[in-house]
């Protein structure tokens, strides 16, 4: 307790010294944008404590991992810094209208757009880290709450609901690195604590009903974005012509178009067919010598014999750095085999179509990404099997699989054996998911189970109860 008190006193003294050095005139008035008094507000001091207590843990764990995890963690730090600046300005600014609010929150939006760019393109090895961090930033939008009619949940509930979007990927990190690397587990837990309880308790203590704008402050003016120089530009506004102040041209002065022009031509009294050309016999299709209607057999065979070629890149089936098997852009290949693998290696299947891959050894992790009509047979995984952004795939597990996740996939036939029935299956934004399990006896038929994709939500006892929707025939 004494150590925390000393830290808060030291941070307060540091802020006072900064204000005395740059923020006061000889007459004692606060300058530097007029936010000196706001910096000493209890809510701003509490927000600084939130960052030093929780955000520092995220950055500390990220520095141990490095790479993209450290990059996205620094963007999260920038987003919290942008929100701090907005909280200071809110205390000195009148409440703007909806369009003014969008412009006012632009610095925070720029940071979130920069973070979203990191999840686009080819799937990274730290995709779950990136998605978890980027999706969590939506919780900072609680600051846009303006009242019951704004279409948002109350700030406390909004923070909790926003974290649920990121928790799906955060749990994947905990499962994947549970027994592999404690630094990743530390980072995932620190990120969750930043929002729950960190940001949630802060909002609950200081802004349970949303930000409090100044009644006598100055009108809201967009501040320059504090995002790094590499941040992407904001969306281009609509063309100026849509908002032109010029009056539209009178309808009577514009030439008529469409059916009105056709009827005017008919009613004009002129011969309707005067402008049509005469079709002679040699112009008729049946008499044209260049249209025989016979397909050249040689051309047809040449088209049918040419193998399908992937437009995304050259096909690959290789082991990279001794730890990751990469299978990419395979089209129409039914005999793909990986037989020299072990539990320290992972398999990444990307952009394959109408092919079959067999993995004869147990691997650490299996990811199937953006594949269509693909068949995968694997001996088992140590961590997880993931199916992402796929269409009409069949996956068969011949061993154990602690976790199977299916995300943004339409059509997946999942075959399990008795060793993999104790694992968990997680689905998100997916449809037509069927799981086939072996029968009780060796001669019994496989049992097919359709995983629900529709849910009913009922409000009971102060919260929503979610149950899958089941359809039964008459």
């Amino acid at each position: 307790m004494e150590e925390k008190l000393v830290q808060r006193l030291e941070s307060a003294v540091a802020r006072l010294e900064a204000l005395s050095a740059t923020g006061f005139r000889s007459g004692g008035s606060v300058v530097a944008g007029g936010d000196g008094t706001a910096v000493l507000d209890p809510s701003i001091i509490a927000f600084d404590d939130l960052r030093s207590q929780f955000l520092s843990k995220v950055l500390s764990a990220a520095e141990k991992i490095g790479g993209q995890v450290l990059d996205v963690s620094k963007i999260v730090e920038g987003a919290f810094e942008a929100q701090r600046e907005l909280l200071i300005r809110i205390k000195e600014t009148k409440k703007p209208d909806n369009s003014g609010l969008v412009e006012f929150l632009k610095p925070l939006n720029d940071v979130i757009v920069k973070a979203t760019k990191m999840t686009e393109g080819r799937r990274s090895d730290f995709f779950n880290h990136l998605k978890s961090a980027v999706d969590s930033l939506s919780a900072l939008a609680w600051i846009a709450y303006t009242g019951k009619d704004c279409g948002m949940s109350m700030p406390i509930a909004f923070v909790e609901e926003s974290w649920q979007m990121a928790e799906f990927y955060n749990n994947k990190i905990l499962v994947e690195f549970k027994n592999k690397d404690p630094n990743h587990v530390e980072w995932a837990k620190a990120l969750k604590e930043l929002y729950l309880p960190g940001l949630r308790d802060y909002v609950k203590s200081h802004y349970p009903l949303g930000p409090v704008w100044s009644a006598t402050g100055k009108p809201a003016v967009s501040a320059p974005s504090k995002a790094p120089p590499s941040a992407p530009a904001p969306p281009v506004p609509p063309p100026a012509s849509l908002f032109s102040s010029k009056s539209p041209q009178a309808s009577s002065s514009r030439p008529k178009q469409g059916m009105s022009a056709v009827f005017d031509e008919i009613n004009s009294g002129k011969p309707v067919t005067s402008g049509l050309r005469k079709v002679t016999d040699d112009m008729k299709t049946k008499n044209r010598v260049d249209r025989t209607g016979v397909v050249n057999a040689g051309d047809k065979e040449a088209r049918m014999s040419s193998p399908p070629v992937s437009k995304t890149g050259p096909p690959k089936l290789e082991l990279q750095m001794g730890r990751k098997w990469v299978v990419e852009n395979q089209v129409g290949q039914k005999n793909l085999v990986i037989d020299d693998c072990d539990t320290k290696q992972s398999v990444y299947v990307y952009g394959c179509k109408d092919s079959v891959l067999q993995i004869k050894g147990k691997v650490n992790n299996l990811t199937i990404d953006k594949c269509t009509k693909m068949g995968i047979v694997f001996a088992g995984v140590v961590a997880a099997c993931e199916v992402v952004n796929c269409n009409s795939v069949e996956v068969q597990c011949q061993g154990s699989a602690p976790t199977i996740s299916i995300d943004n996939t339409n059509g997946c036939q999942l075959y399990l054996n008795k060793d993999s029935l104790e694992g968990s299956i997680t689905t998100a934004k997916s449809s037509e998911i069927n799981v086939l399990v072996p029968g009780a006896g060796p001669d019994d038929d496989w049992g097919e189970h359709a995983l629900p994709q529709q849910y009913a939500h009922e409000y009971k006892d102060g919260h929503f109860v979610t149950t899958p929707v089941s359809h039964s025939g008459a």
Side-chain angles (χ1 to χ4, degrees), residues 168-197:
F168 176 77
Y169 297 96
N170 201 66
N171 288 339
K172 286 187 176 183
I173 301 172
L174 296 175
V175 172
E176 181 180 356
F177 294 95
K178 180 178 181 181
N179 299 320
K180 291 171 55 178
D181 192 338
N183 293 329
H184 293 266
V185 177
E186 178 186 354
W187 183 87
K189 291 182 178 179
L191 183 67
K192 181 176 182 178
E193 292 175 356
L194 175 61
Y195 296 95
L196 302 179

mmCIF file of all heavy atoms in Angstrom, residues 168-197:
data_model
loop_
_atom_site.group_PDB
_atom_site.id
_atom_site.type_symbol
_atom_site.label_atom_id
_atom_site.label_comp_id
_atom_site.label_asym_id
_atom_site.label_seq_id
_atom_site.Cartn_x
_atom_site.Cartn_y
_atom_site.Cartn_z
ATOM 1 N N PHE A 168 -12.187 -13.941 -27.768
ATOM 2 C CA PHE A 168 -12.134 -15.150 -28.592
ATOM 3 C C PHE A 168 -10.693 -15.437 -29.015
ATOM 4 O O PHE A 168 -10.208 -16.567 -28.911
ATOM 5 C CB PHE A 168 -13.041 -14.978 -29.814
ATOM 6 C CG PHE A 168 -12.985 -16.128 -30.780
ATOM 7 C CD1 PHE A 168 -13.644 -17.308 -30.523
ATOM 8 C CD2 PHE A 168 -12.250 -16.032 -31.954
ATOM 9 C CE1 PHE A 168 -13.592 -18.375 -31.413
ATOM 10 C CE2 PHE A 168 -12.175 -17.082 -32.848
ATOM 11 C CZ PHE A 168 -12.865 -18.261 -32.571
ATOM 12 N N TYR A 169 -9.992 -14.414 -29.491
ATOM 13 C CA TYR A 169 -8.604 -14.596 -29.926
ATOM 14 C C TYR A 169 -7.646 -14.628 -28.733
ATOM 15 O O TYR A 169 -6.603 -15.281 -28.792
ATOM 16 C CB TYR A 169 -8.211 -13.479 -30.894
ATOM 17 C CG TYR A 169 -9.035 -13.485 -32.160
ATOM 18 C CD1 TYR A 169 -10.143 -12.670 -32.297
ATOM 19 C CD2 TYR A 169 -8.712 -14.334 -33.210
ATOM 20 C CE1 TYR A 169 -10.913 -12.694 -33.453
ATOM 21 C CE2 TYR A 169 -9.473 -14.362 -34.366
ATOM 22 C CZ TYR A 169 -10.577 -13.543 -34.476
ATOM 23 O OH TYR A 169 -11.337 -13.572 -35.616
ATOM 24 N N ASN A 170 -7.997 -13.940 -27.656
ATOM 25 C CA ASN A 170 -7.155 -13.963 -26.471
ATOM 26 C C ASN A 170 -7.100 -15.369 -25.867
ATOM 27 O O ASN A 170 -6.045 -15.827 -25.413
ATOM 28 C CB ASN A 170 -7.684 -12.957 -25.451
ATOM 29 C CG ASN A 170 -6.634 -12.556 -24.437
ATOM 30 O OD1 ASN A 170 -5.636 -11.936 -24.760
ATOM 31 N ND2 ASN A 170 -6.860 -12.906 -23.188
ATOM 32 N N ASN A 171 -8.239 -16.060 -25.880
ATOM 33 C CA ASN A 171 -8.264 -17.431 -25.367
ATOM 34 C C ASN A 171 -7.433 -18.363 -26.239
ATOM 35 O O ASN A 171 -6.843 -19.331 -25.742
ATOM 36 C CB ASN A 171 -9.706 -17.925 -25.285
ATOM 37 C CG ASN A 171 -10.476 -17.262 -24.163
ATOM 38 O OD1 ASN A 171 -9.885 -16.736 -23.212
ATOM 39 N ND2 ASN A 171 -11.787 -17.256 -24.250
ATOM 40 N N LYS A 172 -7.403 -18.111 -27.541
ATOM 41 C CA LYS A 172 -6.571 -18.922 -28.424
ATOM 42 C C LYS A 172 -5.095 -18.817 -28.045
ATOM 43 O O LYS A 172 -4.347 -19.804 -28.105
ATOM 44 C CB LYS A 172 -6.757 -18.487 -29.885
ATOM 45 C CG LYS A 172 -8.076 -18.923 -30.510
ATOM 46 C CD LYS A 172 -8.084 -18.591 -31.988
ATOM 47 C CE LYS A 172 -9.339 -19.097 -32.676
ATOM 48 N NZ LYS A 172 -9.308 -18.842 -34.127
ATOM 49 N N ILE A 173 -4.663 -17.615 -27.661
ATOM 50 C CA ILE A 173 -3.273 -17.429 -27.244
ATOM 51 C C ILE A 173 -2.986 -18.239 -25.986
ATOM 52 O O ILE A 173 -1.955 -18.906 -25.876
ATOM 53 C CB ILE A 173 -2.990 -15.937 -27.006
ATOM 54 C CG1 ILE A 173 -3.258 -15.123 -28.275
ATOM 55 C CG2 ILE A 173 -1.553 -15.720 -26.545
ATOM 56 C CD1 ILE A 173 -3.185 -13.631 -28.069
ATOM 57 N N LEU A 174 -3.918 -18.196 -25.028
ATOM 58 C CA LEU A 174 -3.720 -18.934 -23.785
ATOM 59 C C LEU A 174 -3.630 -20.429 -24.035
ATOM 60 O O LEU A 174 -2.827 -21.131 -23.415
ATOM 61 C CB LEU A 174 -4.865 -18.625 -22.820
ATOM 62 C CG LEU A 174 -4.975 -17.160 -22.350
ATOM 63 C CD1 LEU A 174 -6.211 -16.971 -21.499
ATOM 64 C CD2 LEU A 174 -3.730 -16.753 -21.572
ATOM 65 N N VAL A 175 -4.447 -20.940 -24.957
ATOM 66 C CA VAL A 175 -4.430 -22.370 -25.254
ATOM 67 C C VAL A 175 -3.158 -22.748 -26.009
ATOM 68 O O VAL A 175 -2.511 -23.761 -25.712
ATOM 69 C CB VAL A 175 -5.684 -22.753 -26.066
ATOM 70 C CG1 VAL A 175 -5.587 -24.193 -26.567
ATOM 71 C CG2 VAL A 175 -6.936 -22.578 -25.225
ATOM 72 N N GLU A 176 -2.786 -21.936 -26.995
ATOM 73 C CA GLU A 176 -1.648 -22.276 -27.844
ATOM 74 C C GLU A 176 -0.325 -22.257 -27.084
ATOM 75 O O GLU A 176 0.551 -23.108 -27.298
ATOM 76 C CB GLU A 176 -1.580 -21.304 -29.023
ATOM 77 C CG GLU A 176 -0.435 -21.587 -29.987
ATOM 78 C CD GLU A 176 -0.398 -20.608 -31.155
ATOM 79 O OE1 GLU A 176 -1.320 -19.756 -31.249
ATOM 80 O OE2 GLU A 176 0.545 -20.689 -31.956
ATOM 81 N N PHE A 177 -0.150 -21.283 -26.175
ATOM 82 C CA PHE A 177 1.144 -21.107 -25.515
ATOM 83 C C PHE A 177 1.120 -21.519 -24.041
ATOM 84 O O PHE A 177 2.037 -21.159 -23.293
ATOM 85 C CB PHE A 177 1.588 -19.639 -25.624
ATOM 86 C CG PHE A 177 1.880 -19.193 -27.024
ATOM 87 C CD1 PHE A 177 0.901 -18.561 -27.787
ATOM 88 C CD2 PHE A 177 3.116 -19.408 -27.586
ATOM 89 C CE1 PHE A 177 1.162 -18.144 -29.081
ATOM 90 C CE2 PHE A 177 3.390 -18.994 -28.879
ATOM 91 C CZ PHE A 177 2.415 -18.368 -29.631
ATOM 92 N N LYS A 178 0.107 -22.277 -23.646
ATOM 93 C CA LYS A 178 -0.029 -22.659 -22.238
ATOM 94 C C LYS A 178 1.206 -23.388 -21.738
ATOM 95 O O LYS A 178 1.717 -23.105 -20.650
ATOM 96 C CB LYS A 178 -1.275 -23.514 -22.060
ATOM 97 C CG LYS A 178 -1.519 -23.962 -20.624
ATOM 98 C CD LYS A 178 -2.795 -24.767 -20.502
ATOM 99 C CE LYS A 178 -3.038 -25.194 -19.066
ATOM 100 N NZ LYS A 178 -4.275 -26.002 -18.941
ATOM 101 N N ASN A 179 1.707 -24.327 -22.511
ATOM 102 C CA ASN A 179 2.862 -25.125 -22.104
ATOM 103 C C ASN A 179 4.092 -24.873 -22.980
ATOM 104 O O ASN A 179 5.022 -25.678 -23.002
ATOM 105 C CB ASN A 179 2.506 -26.617 -22.141
ATOM 106 C CG ASN A 179 1.377 -26.964 -21.196
ATOM 107 O OD1 ASN A 179 1.317 -26.451 -20.088
ATOM 108 N ND2 ASN A 179 0.462 -27.823 -21.646
ATOM 109 N N LYS A 180 4.075 -23.757 -23.720
ATOM 110 C CA LYS A 180 5.166 -23.484 -24.645
ATOM 111 C C LYS A 180 5.975 -22.253 -24.243
ATOM 112 O O LYS A 180 7.203 -22.324 -24.148
ATOM 113 C CB LYS A 180 4.615 -23.294 -26.069
ATOM 114 C CG LYS A 180 4.062 -24.558 -26.691
ATOM 115 C CD LYS A 180 3.350 -24.260 -27.999
ATOM 116 C CE LYS A 180 4.213 -23.521 -28.989
ATOM 117 N NZ LYS A 180 3.529 -23.276 -30.268
ATOM 118 N N ASP A 181 5.318 -21.134 -24.051
ATOM 119 C CA ASP A 181 6.026 -19.887 -23.787
ATOM 120 C C ASP A 181 5.219 -19.048 -22.793
ATOM 121 O O ASP A 181 4.154 -18.503 -23.138
ATOM 122 C CB ASP A 181 6.231 -19.103 -25.090
ATOM 123 C CG ASP A 181 7.216 -17.949 -24.926
ATOM 124 O OD1 ASP A 181 7.402 -17.504 -23.784
ATOM 125 O OD2 ASP A 181 7.791 -17.506 -25.941
ATOM 126 N N PRO A 182 5.684 -18.910 -21.554
ATOM 127 C CA PRO A 182 4.917 -18.145 -20.552
ATOM 128 C C PRO A 182 4.826 -16.659 -20.864
ATOM 129 O O PRO A 182 3.929 -15.982 -20.349
ATOM 130 C CB PRO A 182 5.694 -18.396 -19.253
ATOM 131 C CG PRO A 182 7.079 -18.757 -19.692
ATOM 132 C CD PRO A 182 6.920 -19.478 -20.992
ATOM 133 N N ASN A 183 5.727 -16.135 -21.703
ATOM 134 C CA ASN A 183 5.661 -14.706 -22.030
ATOM 135 C C ASN A 183 4.391 -14.366 -22.794
ATOM 136 O O ASN A 183 3.794 -13.307 -22.581
ATOM 137 C CB ASN A 183 6.894 -14.312 -22.858
ATOM 138 C CG ASN A 183 8.178 -14.400 -22.060
ATOM 139 O OD1 ASN A 183 8.176 -14.197 -20.842
ATOM 140 N ND2 ASN A 183 9.275 -14.715 -22.720
ATOM 141 N N HIS A 184 3.970 -15.243 -23.695
ATOM 142 C CA HIS A 184 2.738 -15.005 -24.443
ATOM 143 C C HIS A 184 1.515 -15.095 -23.522
ATOM 144 O O HIS A 184 0.557 -14.321 -23.660
ATOM 145 C CB HIS A 184 2.620 -16.021 -25.580
ATOM 146 C CG HIS A 184 3.646 -15.855 -26.655
ATOM 147 N ND1 HIS A 184 3.419 -15.127 -27.802
ATOM 148 C CD2 HIS A 184 4.923 -16.303 -26.750
ATOM 149 C CE1 HIS A 184 4.504 -15.150 -28.566
ATOM 150 N NE2 HIS A 184 5.439 -15.861 -27.944
ATOM 151 N N VAL A 185 1.547 -16.039 -22.594
ATOM 152 C CA VAL A 185 0.450 -16.156 -21.628
ATOM 153 C C VAL A 185 0.387 -14.909 -20.752
ATOM 154 O O VAL A 185 -0.703 -14.377 -20.471
ATOM 155 C CB VAL A 185 0.625 -17.422 -20.766
ATOM 156 C CG1 VAL A 185 -0.470 -17.508 -19.708
ATOM 157 C CG2 VAL A 185 0.608 -18.675 -21.644
ATOM 158 N N GLU A 186 1.547 -14.420 -20.336
ATOM 159 C CA GLU A 186 1.597 -13.196 -19.522
ATOM 160 C C GLU A 186 1.026 -12.013 -20.293
ATOM 161 O O GLU A 186 0.277 -11.192 -19.740
ATOM 162 C CB GLU A 186 3.048 -12.925 -19.122
ATOM 163 C CG GLU A 186 3.228 -11.648 -18.308
ATOM 164 C CD GLU A 186 4.697 -11.322 -18.059
ATOM 165 O OE1 GLU A 186 5.560 -12.153 -18.421
ATOM 166 O OE2 GLU A 186 4.985 -10.234 -17.517
ATOM 167 N N TRP A 187 1.357 -11.908 -21.584
ATOM 168 C CA TRP A 187 0.854 -10.797 -22.403
ATOM 169 C C TRP A 187 -0.665 -10.864 -22.545
ATOM 170 O O TRP A 187 -1.361 -9.845 -22.425
ATOM 171 C CB TRP A 187 1.510 -10.836 -23.778
ATOM 172 C CG TRP A 187 1.123 -9.697 -24.668
ATOM 173 C CD1 TRP A 187 1.698 -8.474 -24.748
ATOM 174 C CD2 TRP A 187 0.038 -9.686 -25.609
ATOM 175 N NE1 TRP A 187 1.053 -7.693 -25.676
ATOM 176 C CE2 TRP A 187 0.031 -8.405 -26.226
ATOM 177 C CE3 TRP A 187 -0.905 -10.615 -26.000
ATOM 178 C CZ2 TRP A 187 -0.890 -8.055 -27.199
ATOM 179 C CZ3 TRP A 187 -1.840 -10.270 -26.972
ATOM 180 C CH2 TRP A 187 -1.825 -9.000 -27.561
ATOM 181 N N ALA A 188 -1.192 -12.061 -22.814
ATOM 182 C CA ALA A 188 -2.637 -12.215 -22.991
ATOM 183 C C ALA A 188 -3.392 -11.870 -21.708
ATOM 184 O O ALA A 188 -4.430 -11.192 -21.744
ATOM 185 C CB ALA A 188 -2.958 -13.636 -23.444
ATOM 186 N N LYS A 189 -2.873 -12.322 -20.553
ATOM 187 C CA LYS A 189 -3.541 -12.010 -19.285
ATOM 188 C C LYS A 189 -3.450 -10.520 -18.966
ATOM 189 O O LYS A 189 -4.411 -9.927 -18.465
ATOM 190 C CB LYS A 189 -2.915 -12.830 -18.168
ATOM 191 C CG LYS A 189 -3.212 -14.326 -18.259
ATOM 192 C CD LYS A 189 -2.594 -15.076 -17.084
ATOM 193 C CE LYS A 189 -2.939 -16.563 -17.146
ATOM 194 N NZ LYS A 189 -2.324 -17.321 -16.009
ATOM 195 N N ALA A 190 -2.297 -9.912 -19.266
ATOM 196 C CA ALA A 190 -2.143 -8.476 -18.999
ATOM 197 C C ALA A 190 -3.079 -7.648 -19.875
ATOM 198 O O ALA A 190 -3.620 -6.630 -19.431
ATOM 199 C CB ALA A 190 -0.692 -8.058 -19.225
ATOM 200 N N LEU A 191 -3.274 -8.077 -21.131
ATOM 201 C CA LEU A 191 -4.178 -7.339 -22.016
ATOM 202 C C LEU A 191 -5.608 -7.395 -21.488
ATOM 203 O O LEU A 191 -6.335 -6.393 -21.531
ATOM 204 C CB LEU A 191 -4.103 -7.918 -23.432
ATOM 205 C CG LEU A 191 -4.937 -7.191 -24.478
ATOM 206 C CD1 LEU A 191 -4.388 -5.787 -24.719
ATOM 207 C CD2 LEU A 191 -4.963 -7.961 -25.805
ATOM 208 N N LYS A 192 -6.028 -8.549 -21.001
ATOM 209 C CA LYS A 192 -7.386 -8.645 -20.452
ATOM 210 C C LYS A 192 -7.540 -7.788 -19.207
ATOM 211 O O LYS A 192 -8.565 -7.097 -19.033
ATOM 212 C CB LYS A 192 -7.719 -10.098 -20.132
ATOM 213 C CG LYS A 192 -9.134 -10.283 -19.580
ATOM 214 C CD LYS A 192 -9.483 -11.738 -19.368
ATOM 215 C CE LYS A 192 -10.912 -11.879 -18.856
ATOM 216 N NZ LYS A 192 -11.304 -13.294 -18.674
ATOM 217 N N GLU A 193 -6.529 -7.809 -18.316
ATOM 218 C CA GLU A 193 -6.608 -7.005 -17.103
ATOM 219 C C GLU A 193 -6.641 -5.506 -17.405
ATOM 220 O O GLU A 193 -7.183 -4.722 -16.625
ATOM 221 C CB GLU A 193 -5.423 -7.328 -16.195
ATOM 222 C CG GLU A 193 -5.468 -8.742 -15.621
ATOM 223 C CD GLU A 193 -4.220 -9.070 -14.836
ATOM 224 O OE1 GLU A 193 -3.301 -8.219 -14.810
ATOM 225 O OE2 GLU A 193 -4.147 -10.176 -14.256
ATOM 226 N N LEU A 194 -6.091 -5.108 -18.538
ATOM 227 C CA LEU A 194 -6.125 -3.696 -18.920
ATOM 228 C C LEU A 194 -7.561 -3.207 -19.087
ATOM 229 O O LEU A 194 -7.873 -2.055 -18.763
ATOM 230 C CB LEU A 194 -5.336 -3.496 -20.216
ATOM 231 C CG LEU A 194 -5.354 -2.099 -20.841
ATOM 232 C CD1 LEU A 194 -4.743 -1.075 -19.886
ATOM 233 C CD2 LEU A 194 -4.600 -2.094 -22.165
ATOM 234 N N TYR A 195 -8.431 -4.095 -19.578
ATOM 235 C CA TYR A 195 -9.831 -3.708 -19.807
ATOM 236 C C TYR A 195 -10.739 -4.194 -18.694
ATOM 237 O O TYR A 195 -11.650 -3.484 -18.275
ATOM 238 C CB TYR A 195 -10.288 -4.270 -21.152
ATOM 239 C CG TYR A 195 -9.540 -3.682 -22.330
ATOM 240 C CD1 TYR A 195 -8.424 -4.314 -22.870
ATOM 241 C CD2 TYR A 195 -9.942 -2.485 -22.893
ATOM 242 C CE1 TYR A 195 -7.729 -3.771 -23.931
ATOM 243 C CE2 TYR A 195 -9.261 -1.928 -23.961
ATOM 244 C CZ TYR A 195 -8.147 -2.577 -24.475
ATOM 245 O OH TYR A 195 -7.466 -2.028 -25.530
ATOM 246 N N LEU A 196 -10.538 -5.423 -18.254
ATOM 247 C CA LEU A 196 -11.322 -6.003 -17.166
ATOM 248 C C LEU A 196 -10.353 -6.512 -16.111
ATOM 249 O O LEU A 196 -9.682 -7.529 -16.349
ATOM 250 C CB LEU A 196 -12.191 -7.165 -17.680
ATOM 251 C CG LEU A 196 -13.191 -6.869 -18.800
ATOM 252 C CD1 LEU A 196 -13.926 -8.131 -19.185
ATOM 253 C CD2 LEU A 196 -14.165 -5.789 -18.399
ATOM 254 N N PRO A 197 -10.168 -5.832 -15.002
ATOM 255 C CA PRO A 197 -11.047 -4.765 -14.485
ATOM 256 C C PRO A 197 -10.592 -3.347 -14.798
ATOM 257 O O PRO A 197 -11.293 -2.398 -14.426
ATOM 258 C CB PRO A 197 -10.971 -5.007 -12.989
ATOM 259 C CG PRO A 197 -9.559 -5.453 -12.770
ATOM 260 C CD PRO A 197 -9.192 -6.266 -13.984
#
